[in-house]
Amino acid sequence: MTFKVAQRRTSAARKATVRTAAALAAGLTLVIGAAAPGQAAGATPAGGAAPAKPGCDGAERPGAVSAAPAWAAAHQPAPVSALTGTAAQNLAYGMPGQLPIGLWSDSGVTLRTPVTKGTVRLDVTSKGFSTDSLTVQRYEPSARRWVDLDSKPSSGSFPTQGVLTFPVSAPDASPKHPVGIALRLQDLDRPGTLTVAASLDDGRGHTYRAPVRTAEATRPKVTVTGWDKGATLRRGGTGRTVTVTVKNTTDRAYPALSGAYFAYGAGGSHALTPKDLTLSQYRTDRGWMRVPLVAGGCDPGMSATLLPTSGKRLLAPGETAVYRLKVAVARTAPRDVTRADAGFTVGNGDTSFLSQELPFTIPGGGPGH
């Protein structure tokens, strides 16, 4: 599950929106994976469409996409283990009622019985999203870092059940001196319901079970106005505007709200490059501002990190962020490119919680206005 989670952290959004997968992957890898050490954008050959090179898409190379999650896992502050359950429960498990996508949610196991060489098992069941998109970690005080739980290989392309385990040793645990083990979890895909049944094998023939817990995986509500699937942009024209509204309908603040735009278009012998498109973003304090598009490292796709709305990135519960964008095609754009696959993603830091296509056609009969 570790590899699949790492894949999904940088590619869940693009897999949901990309029709030309190999081409758009590079653009999203550039934006979503920008925080990952060691990921650099290469140059796009001028004037021609370079096919995606085998192995360029980071989602296909385990070593290329795991840097950001691994770095984040090793640089988190030590948590305070919150005890849960009652004195009569030898084992208790707790998690919040909401699991906002793109945020870590605190969780935990509480032991009230001595365990020397035991194993905690979490049986997870999901509805609405795959358990392969769920990542669960525990904090190791001795190493001062978060580590992924061991998991059984998933079966099927969209599993909804999974098993995660980790060893425990708490020889002094008792009802008067409970021991808490800090966990955290995150859904990296879509909204839905998560159910967790925790159990403990104490290594001496005893199995204890905790009450089952259920939570809702949620995400901010995103609406798009001003764009449709039949959108047309003429070469040299004034462009077209689209408004993306993000309202935080969850019970948690998003401290690193981020938006990104990506595009790809290819014809018989040419592909769109950053000089062929103009992306502008409207800021209430500064008006329309040009947002630079950056070429992908492995194919002609391009992408841009959007400017923070209202000059801040934190989106508190109930607050709304509005991205107003304008896309235009240059008069000199290649004549053989008549369609572009494009879209945007919205996320928190290096994790996208939603993406949507904004494709457009480019009439080939003249520059137009």
Side-chain angles (χ1 to χ4, degrees), residues 120-287:
V120 171
R121 169 174 169 150
L122 303 180
D123 287 87
V124 297
T125 302
S126 62
K127 183 178 180 180
F129 61 93
S130 166
T131 52
D132 276 345
S133 71
L134 177 71
T135 178
V136 185
Q137 298 180 332
R138 67 182 173 92
Y139 188 77
E140 281 192 349
S142 59
R144 298 182 180 179
R145 68 190 302 269
W146 291 94
V147 297
D148 292 329
L149 300 190
D150 294 331
S151 62
K152 288 186 176 181
S154 302
S155 59
S157 59
F158 193 84
T160 56
Q161 293 183 326
V163 176
L164 304 101
T165 60
F166 61 93
V168 294
S169 179
D172 299 325
S174 68
K176 291 185 178 181
H177 301 285
V179 174
I181 301 173
L183 304 173
R184 65 179 187 177
L185 65 165
Q186 184 178 177
D187 167 26
L188 302 172
D189 191 3
R190 292 174 288 180
T193 302
L194 176 69
T195 301
V196 181
S199 59
L200 167 67
D201 180 352
D202 68 357
R204 297 178 297 175
H206 299 97
T207 299
Y208 304 96
R209 302 186 186 281
V212 175
R213 301 298 182 192
T214 300
E216 295 294 325
T218 59
R219 68 184 175 195
K221 181 181 179 181
V222 180
T223 57
V224 180
T225 56
W227 205 275
D228 55 61
K229 292 184 179 180
T232 297
L233 298 182
R234 296 185 177 276
R235 294 175 180 81
T238 58
R240 183 162 181 166
T241 59
V242 58
T243 301
V244 180
T245 303
V246 183
K247 183 175 182 179
N248 188 357
T249 52
T250 77
D251 62 357
R252 298 262 303 282
Y254 278 73
L257 185 71
S258 60
Y261 179 84
F262 57 92
Y264 169 82
S269 56
H270 298 85
L272 295 179
T273 63
K275 66 181 177 60
D276 301 318
L277 293 183
T278 298
L279 176 66
S280 302
Q281 182 176 348
Y282 186 82
R283 289 278 296 269
T284 55
D285 55 342
R286 302 181 66 178

